[in-house]
Amino acid sequence: INPPPNFGGAVNYGSAFLPAHFQGTRINDAGELAHLKAGTSGDLQRKQLDLIQSMNRDLAGTPGAPDQVDGVIESYELAFRMQGKVPQLLDISKEPQKVKDAYGIKPGPAGAFARQCLMARRLSEAGVRFVEICQPGWDHHNNLHKGLINNCAAVDQPTSALLADLENRGLLEDTLVIFGSEFGRQPTTQGVDGRDHNITGYPMALAGAGIKKGVTYGATDEYGIKAVEGRMHTNDLHATLLALMGLDHEKLTYRYAGRDFRLTDVAGKVVKEIMA
């Protein structure tokens, strides 16, 4: 579930070195999936889709056909199946008012993250295996004071409500929640009212399936600039997340560009200290 497409675009949910059909499906914070609504009857649409898919498969079978063709075939079939299920699944209007109040649902951009969190719960409850929600506007090179107040107000209540809702419904015990970003911020100011990027020491928060409760792992120096205790590289984080899902990162490979690739490349250590 993503904000407007100018926020990173498909890189936020792309398939990287995996085939295109592993890419995620983007939904906006209003619960709308682009071009999902059928313009014809189901039978006619199925005939049209079968014709298009036969042409796609012919193309996929030709020498030098791009890998994306397989992804297009899969996405067309997925969209056809989703037409009857997704609109009702993403419709939060029928949720009890006390639930909407707990998440802080409100109209307009100010309620975007809250709507995403509630839809994430509904998707998880329906069996969707991976859900990503995003909140832009944290790149505070200036206007830091007001920006932090606004952003924290937008995410604090919905995040708390999502975790409580998952726990109350018995979903948190097998749902892993990851709260993080691409990098942190410097503890020193940038200009009058801003902070620059920091890649050497910043936190990630994990909750739910397989994670110890109330545990802090690692620490930065006294200034909050560099990680000095329990340092966890991104590869270590990925290895640990895969282990929590029952997967051995060293065996999970895909041949791409002439060699076997894996998410952790040639590194990665499972950090068992944070596991329950």
Side-chain angles (χ1 to χ4, degrees), residues 72-245:
V72 169
I73 293 172
E74 293 286 341
S75 65
Y76 281 8
E77 293 296 337
L78 177 63
F80 182 77
R81 297 193 302 270
M82 289 172 68
Q83 285 177 347
K85 301 288 185 181
V86 172
Q88 294 86 354
L89 180 59
L90 296 177
D91 182 9
I92 63 174
S93 64
K94 296 181 176 61
E95 286 282 341
Q97 189 60 45
K98 64 178 183 181
V99 172
K100 290 188 279 191
D101 290 342
Y103 279 85
I105 301 295
K106 63 185 72 172
F113 191 77
R115 291 192 294 273
Q116 288 185 74
C117 284
L118 183 49
M119 282 189 283
R121 190 269 288 165
R122 291 173 65 88
L123 289 167
S124 299
E125 195 171 31
V128 177
R129 289 178 291 178
F130 299 96
V131 181
E132 178 185 6
I133 60 180
C134 299
Q135 171 71 5
W138 295 91
D139 201 16
H140 297 132
H141 293 285
N142 51 49
N143 201 26
L144 173 66
H145 182 70
K146 183 178 180 181
L148 274 179
I149 291 175
N150 291 340
N151 278 14
C152 290
V155 304
D156 281 0
Q157 180 179 345
T159 300
S160 176
L162 173 60
L163 291 172
D165 205 3
L166 289 172
E167 185 171 30
N168 291 338
R169 293 169 184 268
L171 296 170
L172 192 59
E173 62 184 25
D174 55 11
T175 301
L176 178 63
V177 181
I178 307 167
F179 198 102
S181 62
E182 56 184 334
F183 43 66
R185 313 302 294 193
Q186 294 284 357
T188 52
T189 60
Q190 177 187 12
V192 177
D193 186 22
R195 288 197 300 173
D196 207 346
H197 304 163
N198 181 23
I199 63 169
T200 59
Y202 61 96
M204 303 283 282
L206 307 181
I211 296 295
K212 285 181 180 177
K213 296 181 179 181
V215 170
T216 300
Y217 178 82
T220 62
D221 58 38
E222 59 183 318
Y223 300 107
I225 297 177
K226 293 183 178 180
V228 293
E229 296 178 17
R231 296 174 64 187
M232 186 184 292
H233 190 276
T234 305
N235 289 333
D236 301 331
L237 175 65
H238 287 162
T240 304
L241 296 178
L242 289 170
L244 287 165
M245 292 187 281

